[in-house]
Amino acid sequence: MYNGITVSQRRWRNAALALLCCLGAALSQLVNAQQAELAAAVPVGSVNLVVAQSSSEQERLDVGLVIFNPGIPLDASTHSMLGIFPEIRKAEAQFMPVLLRQVLVASDAWGVVRVLPDHQASAELLVTGKILQSNGTRLVILFTARDATGRVWVDKAYADVATERDYPGVEGSDPFIDLYHQFANDLLAFRQRLDSSQLRSIRQVAQMRYAASLSEEAFGSYLAEDAQGNYTVLRLPADGDPMMARVERIRNQEHLFVDTVDEQYVNLYEEMAPTYNLWRQYSLEQAMYLEDFEVRAQNRDRIGQRGSFTAMEQTYNTYKQIKIQEQDLDDMALGFNTEVAPTAMEASGKVFRLTGTLDTQYNEWRSILREIFAIETGLPPGA
Amino acid sequence: MISYYPKPAIQAFSLLLLLYLAGCSSSQSQEPRPVPNSGDRAADFSGFWELDYSQSDNIQTKLNTLVRELRQQSQRRAPGGSSVYQQAGGAVMIGGPGTTNSGASIIGLAQMAELITQSQLLEIEQDENNIKVKRELDFALTCQFYLGQYHKVETPLGTEVCGWDQHQLIFKLVLPEGLTVQHVMSVGPQRQWLNIATTVISDRVTSPFTVNRVYSRYQPQDTGYSCKMTISRGRVCTTESQ
């Protein structure tokens, strides 16, 4: 015994304290890492969208935009410290790719631009995004663009800041539109550095990777992958190959699904935009209010003497109004429902009813298509 | 004479205060408690609660007690001297150091307590790591509790700290200009009642002011539907079953 505590108890207490210290340190590290990531992103400034001049069909690659990673840390205890409203982030992760799609379409440089519920390795150009920061004042997104051959076009964080003048904003635009413009311009600039043979190679690899995903046995040997994950086509099927015709048909069926769910994303975007923009505007106003609060507090006309009811009421009510506004916004975000309508799809004369979230539906539909392909060809299904 | 009367309601308090300036007996003050966080098993506060006036403190009675305490404190500090005096400007002081314990500050403290504890209805949502105490006519008290961590939110407008102390949940709000508000929530056995002890502290009064509000459980009437604003779909109304 020592001071009423046994050695064993002291050990447990020390272990518990050590654990708490570790937890605290881990939390601090996470927040610091996030802040370092954000600090590295330099605001893009004012950017005009570059519209491609006479892109040929050869140059117009199809683009897949995967629903963004909302960037919500698993440790829920960090959310308030990082200023993250999880429900709003989840909604933003579906909202932002639709806006990016509009910008890429407006640049007139690309083929079909699709918003994808999940990764699609065989996309000619696949874009992923992770939201690092999003509020009414600042948006930071880490974009990665990689073509089917594995070549990385872009891998960097883009930041943009909004001011009062960016709100309420006009329909179809966005307070952070410069960020999307900059990314679209960077993509176009990269594509313009590729020659026609490189672009053709991207298309061929995309097609063969899709084929190999349906049947590794039949199409795996057409491709080579190096240690860095870069693909090259070793040979191509003959023109008019009936197996490739089947692959194309299945691929079109998959695109059909994506185009169907795409309408849901567009509907979500249109429904969400007015309220979401209002939320961001409030968020900006709140940030500005907080920033210059101390200045205003020094300059304001005090209604009552310090310690009087009037003065205390003023102090309390100021805090109360801000809290009520903040909580209203959070409640609004909680109402977002990621469940979507079931999708009915037809394939091989059968109608399939897909339910669940869009990424679940998408993966289910891909499994069905692989099974159909395997049944039709008698080949074992791909991975 | 009290120098500042912002509202007619204060007159009642002023009268009471003046009565007590004539001299009353003492009682023990309830000191504000710190905000520890023991990580103990959480009490369950969830549900709908309505204010039970019969079980709750009367603000006037609490004000009487406060004045009595301040007077006694003053007498202890200056034995034989007057604990109540009038300043040159006409304001009544109850013997606090410097500019503390003016009549206006003491009454203001009581009025603040009344303002802050005015909610008659509460709706509390609670899960393993979060609690949200929705208060009628006021902002919701929210807290995230994770093992060994205080939940602290700092802004230029104020600092919130919350956490568990055994089976009590404590919310502390430190506001500018020397104002601090603390709520200590506890629930009775079988959850028949909920007590919120609200303490208001001002740096212009040497004693805190605590008011206990007792709430009893109730079931909200079924209106058949409920509506809320959502970020994705605007105002959404859904039917609800009994």
Side-chain angles (χ1 to χ4, degrees), chain A residues 19-20 23-24 27 75-80 87-88 91 267-268 271-273 275-276 279 289-291 293-294 297 300 302-313 315-324 326-340, chain B residues 3-4 6-7 10 102 104-113 115-116 118 125 132 134-135 137-142 144 146-149 151-153 155-160 173-179 181 183 200-205 228-234 236:
Chain A
L19 179 65
L20 288 180
L23 284 171
L27 180 65
D75 183 353
S77 68
T78 63
H79 294 171
S80 64
E87 295 302 322
I88 292 178
N267 289 342
L268 169 76
E271 286 175 5
M272 184 175 156
T275 325
Y276 175 56
W279 178 81
Y289 184 91
L290 292 174
E291 272 173 20
F293 171 77
E294 285 173 10
R300 73 178 166 176
R302 206 176 299 285
I303 297 174
Q305 286 181 328
R306 183 172 175 131
S308 69
F309 173 66
T310 315
M312 289 192 286
E313 184 187 30
T315 301
Y316 186 78
N317 282 344
T318 303
Y319 192 78
K320 176 176 157 181
Q321 293 311 321
I322 288 288
K323 287 294 289 186
I324 287 174
E326 184 185 296
Q327 288 169 352
D328 281 352
L329 295 171
D330 201 26
D331 283 347
M332 281 164 66
L334 282 172
F336 178 69
N337 188 348
T338 49
E339 286 299 317
V340 288
Chain B
S3 63
Y4 184 64
K7 287 181 181 177
I10 292 178
S102 71
S105 297
I106 295 165
I107 292 169
L109 202 60
Q111 285 183 295
M112 276 309 294
L115 175 78
I116 292 165
Q118 65 182 323
E125 296 164 2
K132 187 171 194 177
K134 295 181 184 170
R135 301 179 296 171
L137 304 175
D138 213 328
F139 64 90
L141 300 172
T142 56
Q144 294 177 357
Y146 296 91
L147 184 64
Q149 290 179 25
H151 182 224
K152 187 174 183 181
V153 179
T155 72
L157 297 178
T159 300
E160 286 179 54
L173 172 61
V174 181
L175 294 168
E177 304 202 22
L179 177 64
V181 179
H183 303 282
V200 186
I201 303 162
S202 163
D203 65 357
R204 288 294 183 269
V205 180
K228 61 182 173 185
M229 286 295 291
T230 70
I231 196 98
S232 57
R233 314 207 192 291
V236 173

Side-chain angles (χ1 to χ4, degrees), chain B residues 73-103:
Chain B
Q73 281 177 16
S74 173
Q75 281 172 342
R76 280 197 294 273
R77 273 195 296 270
S82 172
S83 62
V84 180
Y85 58 92
Q86 199 161 13
Q87 280 192 322
V92 171
M93 311 296 290
I94 311 181
T99 55
T100 58
N101 295 352
S102 71

